[in-house]
Structures are given as C-alpha cells and as structure tokens.
Amino acid sequence: MGILPLVLCSCSGQPASLPWDLPAISGWEHQGGLVFIHTESSLYSLPCSPTEMEVADPTYHWVQDRAAPKLFSVTKEGHLLFQHFQAGDSGKYSCTISYMKHGVPVSQTFHYSIFGYHVLGGLDAVLLFHSKLCEDERTKRFLWVLQDKLRQLEIEQHCKLQLTATFCFPSLNNPSDEFIIQVQLEVSLFGPHWDKHCNSQDMEMVTDCYRKTVRHNL
C-alpha cells in the first residue's frame, strides 16, 4: 500500500506598510501560494490573505484563471468556501482585498495555485464466516446485513469498503455439515471526508492533523 505524502505551503511575506506620499491608488501583488486540498473534502475554507489583516470595512473579490466564469461562495471574512472539492476545481485563484487607509483606496491581491489530490492506497481483505447452509437466498440476506454493518464502519472510520467477490464452499474439517462463506473486500483507508477534522488556517496544525488521522485510519 502506498501513501502519498502531504505537503502544505502558504503565501509568505508581510504586506509592506504604506508610505505617507501615497499615490491615488495603492496596490500590491503577492505570488506563490500553494494549497493542496483533498478531492473529497466536504468543506474547505481558504482565506483571502495568508496572514490576519486588520483593516476597516474591507471588500473581497475572488477570481479564477479559467475561460468559463464560475460563481464562488465567499464568507463575510473573505474566505473562499469549497463545499465539495473536486479535481476540476484545481487551478489558479486570486483574491483582491480593497479598503481605505488614510483616505486613500488601497488594494492587495493574493495569488494561489490550488491542487486537488487523492491519497491512493488500499488493502485486499478476506473475511471467512462459518455457516450451516450454503443456499443462495440465505447467503444474499447475510451479505445484505454485512454490507449494512460495513457502511456504519465507513462512517465511523472515514474509510471505504467495496465487496469484490463472495464464495461458499464446504469446510475442510466437516465438509458434510459445515460451509465457509468467503467475502473479499477492497479497503481504502481514505474514504469520503476522512480529513474533515483537519480544517484550520494554521498550516502546521493541518499537517499534524493529517498525520494523526492517517495513523488512526491505518
């Protein structure tokens, strides 16, 4: 099983302070923000600026570098919200924060490169159950109950379980009186929303949360 390592980076650098001899409009461009988002994240919030900015009455404007226009969900704090991030949401994004300082309109633009990723890796698991009968209908009912239990496990562990094959055959110990139901599963340790508890603006905390979640899922 392979695990894709996660690296998170944020924009660096503090905005320069305004000089007193301001032009009519002042603006800064901030480049180089890399953001990695899991492709099945249920909710991801990206701030307009990588650092906390205390300014009066700011306005925010998000754009994406793509031909087709897209509507964004933005919080009052200027955070861009991805409700269900998909690989197609990857791309270059820019956010401009505008405000007044000393009576002069000021704007700062932050650029992000957002990449959707998916952690690959899985296990093949085999479950063996003892049965007194090997009837098709009885086995189907048993598998239905088993799948229901597995769905509960998926929710609790944020994993993904897929039945790939089932077999029913006489047991070697008592072939006339006992049967074995063999169930083969493909287990993905990184199912939907496995990283939903890792949403934070502190990149160090996010990375640590991912590591703990991966260890827990394993």
Side-chain angles (χ1 to χ4, degrees):
M1 179 190 68
I3 300 176
L4 180 68
L6 172 69
V7 179
L8 290 171
C9 304
S10 65
C11 291
S12 61
Q14 294 284 346
S17 59
L18 287 171
W20 289 109
D21 53 340
L22 290 166
I25 297 179
S26 296
W28 291 269
E29 297 280 331
H30 303 265
Q31 302 281 350
L34 299 178
V35 179
F36 294 85
I37 304 178
H38 189 254
T39 54
E40 294 182 359
S41 293
S42 57
L43 183 63
Y44 189 92
S45 171
L46 179 65
C48 183
S49 65
T51 56
E52 189 70 26
M53 294 181 61
E54 296 184 4
V55 295
D57 301 320
T59 59
Y60 305 93
H61 179 62
W62 282 92
V63 295
Q64 185 181 11
D65 184 15
R66 61 165 41 178
K70 181 179 179 181
L71 294 176
F72 298 115
S73 178
V74 181
T75 69
K76 63 179 181 179
E77 294 83 11
H79 291 208
L80 179 63
L81 289 179
F82 293 101
Q83 296 291 342
H84 294 283
F85 190 87
Q86 301 297 319
D89 293 324
S90 299
K92 294 184 181 298
Y93 290 75
S94 300
C95 178
T96 299
I97 177 173
S98 302
Y99 54 95
M100 299 293 292
K101 188 168 185 178
H102 305 302
V104 176
V106 178
S107 68
Q108 295 191 57
T109 300
F110 300 89
H111 301 280
Y112 299 92
S113 294
I114 298 180
F115 299 93
Y117 75 93
H118 181 64
V119 180
L120 300 175
L123 301 171
D124 290 322
V126 176
L127 308 179
L128 300 178
F129 300 92
H130 295 269
S131 176
K132 292 294 183 183
L133 297 171
C134 203
E135 298 174 350
D136 285 346
E137 286 302 316
R138 186 184 181 93
T139 303
K140 286 179 182 178
R141 287 198 301 271
F142 167 72
L143 292 176
W144 185 87
V145 174
L146 177 63
Q147 285 182 298
D148 184 58
K149 297 296 183 184
L150 292 177
R151 295 293 84 79
Q152 296 177 33
L153 183 63
E154 284 182 329
I155 295 171
E156 293 169 4
Q157 300 297 329
H158 303 293
C159 60
K160 194 170 184 179
L161 307 170
Q162 183 67 45
L163 269 68
T164 56
T166 58
F167 305 94
C168 187
F169 49 85
S171 100
L172 293 176
N173 295 332
N174 195 357
S176 61
D177 233 6
E178 186 179 60
F179 297 88
I180 301 294
I181 298 176
Q182 177 177 310
V183 180
Q184 293 180 198
L185 294 172
E186 186 178 277
V187 184
S188 172
L189 304 173
F190 308 98
H193 316 322
W194 70 272
D195 58 351
K196 69 178 183 178
H197 299 297
C198 297
N199 187 22
S200 170
Q201 304 312 322
D202 186 323
M203 293 304 174
E204 186 175 342
M205 289 179 62
V206 170
T207 305
D208 184 60
C209 180
Y210 273 82
R211 289 172 179 162
K212 289 179 179 178
T213 304
V214 170
R215 284 197 299 267
H216 177 267
N217 285 6
L218 287 172

